[in-house]
Amino acid sequence: MGRPTIADIAQRVGVSKGAVSFALNGRPGVSEATRARILEVAREMNWRPHSAARALGGARAEAVGLVIARPASTLGVEPFFAQLLSGLQARLSRQQVAMHLLVVEDSEAEIEVYREWTSAHRVDGFILVDPKVRDPRFAALEELGVPAVVLGGPGRHGALASVWADDREAMLSVVDYLAALGHRRVAHVAGLPGLRHTQRRMRALRDSVKRLGLVDAVSLPTDFSDAEGAAATRTLLSRGSRPTAIVYDSDVMALAGLGVAGEMGVTVPAELSIVAFDDSVLTRVTHPSITSLSRDTFALGGQVADVLLEVIADPGARRDLKTGTPRLVVRQSTAPPALGRRTKAV
Amino acid sequence: MGRPTIADIAQRVGVSKGAVSFALNGRPGVSEATRARILEVAREMNWRPHSAARALGGARAEAVGLVIARPASTLGVEPFFAQLLSGLQARLSRQQVAMHLLVVEDSEAEIEVYREWTSAHRVDGFILVDPKVRDPRFAALEELGVPAVVLGGPGRHGALASVWADDREAMLSVVDYLAALGHRRVAHVAGLPGLRHTQRRMRALRDSVKRLGLVDAVSLPTDFSDAEGAAATRTLLSRGSRPTAIVYDSDVMALAGLGVAGEMGVTVPAELSIVAFDDSVLTRVTHPSITSLSRDTFALGGQVADVLLEVIADPGARRDLKTGTPRLVVRQSTAPPALGRRTKAV
DNA sequence: TCCCGCAACTAGAGCGGTTTAGTACCGCGC
DNA sequence: GCGCGGTACTAAACCGCTCTAGTTGCGGGA
């Protein structure tokens, strides 16, 4: 015999399938004595529910979906994703909710997966990451009527729940600090230009120019890879009017930038201050250690999971959770600019 | 109306459910004309298969399971896992196979999840990671008769397929190199002592003592965290007879170790050589960059996925794929030991 | 004593597919 | 004209579970 079904149990105990179902799901309709016998036999026969059969009846899938439209090869590089995943798992696994993970080519494929998984009752809800500037995914998810939470900035995601940090405020706090140190030439090695938070950070920097009397404030977009981070840094440091401080949109790029500075003979922090927009083990263990905007990505994952579970439990609820703005953790890579040495010195 | 079912399509086209099923699955039993009409209507109605219903009938789940018994908080720290996951995804998503991911407390819980997902037809197979010294999971998976692939060392996993690298050989190549440079006191900051590959590496080091005439060759087990890696390094560098070279079982720990060396005034590589047993962006961007055993973890993930898909397609097949032994990539963190400065100098 | 109400259970429909057994029809050879 | 074989289809069983609408039996109130 293959795996036992409730019919097998029913036969063995001498009751109907219905009674077994009631007993196993802890609902009224059977006497305590019968329930005990049924549970006993179920244990004995090593019975386990068949979630597909349950799902057919419209029950929860006890799983959430995370579809990522990025080249799979970049996932491993960014500590952010791994941390987020960890945080999500920590929270979800407490409720025995699994995660369905898939990496796809682009947003279009992503939407198709949303469709498929939704109509197949494969998951109870989705986590949407990397919100873009004009993002077709919001409308698609809303149309499907499936619970979902957007990880990203405020507003503009229709009726979907969201968890977000204030990127603008965070960027402003960095620039304020650098300006207070005396920096007037601040550069920004940004992430993918299509992402909303990239745009928001770039705008925040631009908006600071007048307010803080900056001389220069350029943002160079990249693809988040260490290679492009290094290349952007080389570009910036090769200019006639070299920036005295560079803000990186990720820790990996900041690290790469630090490497380039070393290779070009630019000392950090004396000649160049470096700030990373994400914190992880990386920024702590380098020499000099890197000043960064620290947010607890692991905790963030937990919050995202929380909101999603909430929305799944009560689809009417609309939550917008603003997480704490990343705090600036000052380490050894930032200092006042060396006066008079602002020009090319390669 | 909710999502359309094949019954809806059948009604609209004016045929039976069976005919629709045949048409949609490309099997004989309907004329080309009818098939075309059915496909047309299905497209029009935006129909999508309900995988739960299919699963009930015994079809593939088009998903594989990865259950990890580690504290979720450590997942984000290790680039290895993220890389592996990326590689797996890259391969799986090409076949539209998703991954079911869950983090659990211990092996026992892990086995229970294997049971549940198997009997629920939730996945078609499993990837088993972190094989342990006496591992109850092998027997459990074999008993369930579900396809699975073990990521780890050779042999000892019963009839399960496996993908493995030769840890022993890798460790020997490192120690040989260090000995050739002149090192006689080599220490090893190992990973979790319960893991097979940890044991294998420790044994390889021990076995080298006589062969290479080493004076000292101690292995300190850790939990893979940067904290314990740092602590172990402190312990080693505080000894009267300090090692001149340390091999770390992960890149994160090597990085932490490099930090500790800096903090204790021990220069790398002049006074201490450092080798990491895993390569990633981390080892490349530090100063000095870290000599490491490089293996393409992303590719490894792909290979694991390949073998699993193969075993799923043909459950009779038994594959044991030995991947290339990690190559030693020499960078700036290794050098001959400074003569006469082998003793305490803090 | 009779009937009501409730607890404890059963029977069976339904979820959305797949698959098998069966049927209607057609052209063909003899 | 009849049987034969093949094609195109239909009807319904089936997968494992849930859940609703009954059915039975029993105790208690009037």
Side-chain angles (χ1 to χ4, degrees), chain B residues 78 189 201 224-225 248-255 275-278:
Chain B
E78 274 241 69
V189 174
R201 292 175 190 179
F224 277 119
S225 70
Y248 291 86
D249 261 10
S250 83
D251 44 5
V252 172
M253 292 198 296
L255 212 59
V275 180
F277 221 102
D278 246 329

Side-chain angles (χ1 to χ4, degrees), chain A residues 3 48 50-51 56 61-62 72 75-76 86 89 93 99-103 112 119 121-122 255 281-282 285, chain B residues 3 48 50-51 56 61-62 72 75-76 86 89 93 99-101 103 112 119-122 226 255 282 285:
Chain A
R3 39 185 310 284
R48 277 190 183 70
H50 192 304
S51 66
L56 245 196
E62 300 301 337
L75 280 190
S86 303
Q89 281 293 325
S93 60
M99 170 173 284
H100 233 57
L101 188 67
L102 190 64
V103 174
E112 178 56 22
S119 50
H121 279 281
R122 221 171 164 134
L255 214 58
V281 99
L282 300 190
V285 297
Chain B
R3 40 185 310 282
R48 276 188 184 72
H50 193 305
S51 64
L56 244 195
E62 300 301 337
L75 281 191
S86 303
Q89 282 292 323
S93 61
M99 171 173 283
H100 232 56
L101 188 66
V103 174
E112 177 57 22
S119 49
H121 280 282
R122 220 172 164 134
D226 57 318
L255 212 59
L282 301 191
V285 298

Side-chain angles (χ1 to χ4, degrees), chain A residues 46 180 328:
Chain A
N46 215 9
L328 189 67

Side-chain angles (χ1 to χ4, degrees), chain B:
Chain B
M1 195 187 74
R3 40 185 310 282
T5 71
I6 56 165
D8 299 324
I9 300 177
Q11 198 192 358
R12 182 108 147 232
V13 178
V15 294
S16 68
K17 274 169 47 180
V20 175
S21 178
F22 291 147
L24 292 171
N25 291 291
R27 58 185 65 207
V30 280
S31 65
E32 275 317 308
T34 312
R35 183 189 306 275
R37 287 216 47 222
I38 290 173
L39 290 180
E40 166 71 17
V41 171
R43 263 208 57 253
E44 220 168 80
M45 299 181 78
N46 214 10
W47 177 86
R48 276 188 184 72
H50 193 305
S51 64
R54 280 190 169 155
L56 244 195
R60 291 265 170 79
E62 300 301 337
V64 301
L66 176 57
V67 186
I68 305 175
R70 286 201 192 181
S73 54
T74 70
L75 281 191
V77 176
E78 274 241 69
F80 176 79
F81 253 105
Q83 297 270 15
L84 181 72
L85 220 56
S86 303
L88 285 168
Q89 282 292 323
R91 184 69 188 77
L92 292 175
S93 61
R94 224 188 300 156
Q95 319 251 316
Q96 290 273 60
V97 172
M99 171 173 283
H100 232 56
L101 188 66
L102 189 64
V103 174
V104 296
E105 281 292 309
D106 49 37
S107 289
E108 222 168 292
E110 190 175 329
I111 290 174
E112 177 57 22
V113 174
Y114 289 155
R115 289 226 163 76
E116 282 172 11
W117 288 5
T118 303
S119 49
H121 280 282
R122 220 172 164 134
V123 297
D124 302 318
F126 289 100
I127 296 155
L128 192 154
V129 295
D130 289 342
K132 304 213 202 72
V133 176
R134 248 181 308 279
D135 204 317
R137 296 175 296 168
F138 301 145
L141 279 174
E142 281 195 68
E143 193 193 318
L144 285 170
V146 62
V149 48
V150 177
L151 173 54
R156 310 273 180 106
H157 33 66
L160 302 178
S162 75
V163 174
W164 56 284
D166 196 330
D167 277 287
R168 180 182 177 79
E169 211 176 291
M171 179 55 117
L172 293 180
S173 76
V174 172
V175 184
D176 281 359
Y177 174 68
L178 290 173
L181 284 181
H183 293 275
R184 291 296 173 268
R185 296 179 187 284
V186 177
H188 173 208
V189 174
L192 283 166
L195 299 184
R196 278 196 190 174
H197 71 255
T198 302
Q199 292 290 334
R200 225 175 275 123
R201 292 175 190 179
M202 285 170 51
R203 201 170 317 122
L205 176 59
R206 252 198 338 267
D207 293 351
S208 302
V209 172
K210 260 180 287 179
R211 190 170 51 89
L212 300 172
L214 301 185
V215 176
D216 197 8
V218 64
S219 287
L220 295 186
T222 68
D223 65 352
F224 277 119
S225 70
D226 57 318
E228 289 206 9
T233 307
R234 260 180 224 112
T235 304
L236 289 168
L237 296 185
S238 303
R239 288 180 162 195
S241 58
R242 179 189 281 172
T244 60
I246 304 182
V247 182
Y248 291 86
D249 261 10
S250 83
D251 44 5
V252 172
M253 292 198 296
L255 212 59
L258 186 60
V260 168
E263 140 206 332
M264 291 178 72
V266 177
T267 58
V268 175
E271 295 174 277
L272 177 71
S273 285
I274 281 181
V275 180
F277 221 102
D278 246 329
D279 203 9
S280 77
V281 113
L282 301 191
T283 53
R284 269 173 274 145
V285 298
T286 55
H287 284 275
S289 56
I290 301 176
T291 295
S292 31
L293 273 171
S294 175
R295 65 169 155 188
D296 191 339
T297 309
F298 182 79
L300 178 68
Q303 292 175 305
V304 171
D306 264 337
V307 171
L308 181 54
L309 291 176
E310 220 169 283
V311 179
I312 288 173
D314 173 14
R318 219 202 113 176
R319 299 262 345 231
D320 274 283
L321 179 64
K322 180 183 173 185
T323 62
T325 301
R327 286 172 313 96
L328 189 67
V329 177
V330 176
R331 299 205 179 85
Q332 302 161 353
S333 69
T334 41
L339 293 177
R341 292 211 44 198
R342 279 191 208 142
T343 40
K344 202 161 180 176
V346 183

